[in-house]
Amino acid sequence: MRHRLSEQVAAQAVEDAAEGVTGAISPPRGAGLYHACNAALKRALGDKARNEMSLAELEAALEWLGRNRLREHLHLLEGDHRFGWATRDRQGWTPPVGRAAKAGPRRTSKAVATERDRSGTAGE
């Protein structure tokens, strides 16, 4: 039953990606629409995971999914940082030039202890 539910979610996600999703949450093409649809379904059904649902709840979810489009419920994901897609501004980025100056050799605690032993200040 859970498998059929995920198949229906995937089918709607593929259809919506082909048509182009519009609304409050519009992921870029191929950027996790299936996951967004799954999250919207979970929130629409009372924030209950599928593995926690009884058989009757899974059947009701299948019926609900047959009557409703998940793209109409993507607004339930507003404010969730995992689904806040933004296009990065790549125009201002330039690659770094040259190498960073090397700070010099690092001194390990063993080297510091050896220097202390040589100078005779170990116990002071």
Side-chain angles (χ1 to χ4, degrees):
M1 190 66 68
R2 286 191 291 259
H3 187 65
R4 281 199 314 174
L5 192 59
S6 66
E7 286 176 349
Q8 279 195 319
V9 170
Q12 282 195 18
V14 168
E15 290 170 7
D16 292 345
E19 294 172 8
V21 177
T22 58
I25 294 195
S26 301
R29 186 172 173 84
L33 183 58
Y34 173 74
H35 298 294
C37 288
N38 269 319
L41 177 66
K42 181 178 177 183
R43 284 170 180 74
L45 298 177
D47 228 7
K48 196 169 187 182
R50 287 184 215 157
N51 62 349
E52 298 171 351
M53 290 183 184
S54 66
L55 183 60
E57 289 172 321
L58 287 170
E59 289 173 347
L62 275 170
E63 291 175 17
W64 183 89
L65 197 54
R67 292 187 311 268
N68 296 289
R69 297 295 301 180
L70 287 170
R71 69 174 161 210
E72 297 167 0
H73 298 277
L74 289 177
H75 68 278
L76 297 172
L77 303 178
E78 285 180 9
D80 191 337
H81 65 84
R82 294 171 291 190
F83 301 102
W85 292 282
T87 305
R88 286 193 298 170
D89 178 25
R90 295 176 186 249
Q91 298 299 324
W93 183 85
T94 57
V97 179
R99 292 183 174 211
K102 195 169 182 180
R106 294 186 63 195
R107 292 176 42 170
T108 63
S109 58
K110 186 176 181 181
V112 172
T114 305
E115 283 181 21
R116 239 186 282 134
D117 290 342
R118 286 184 189 159
S119 67
T121 58
E124 295 173 21

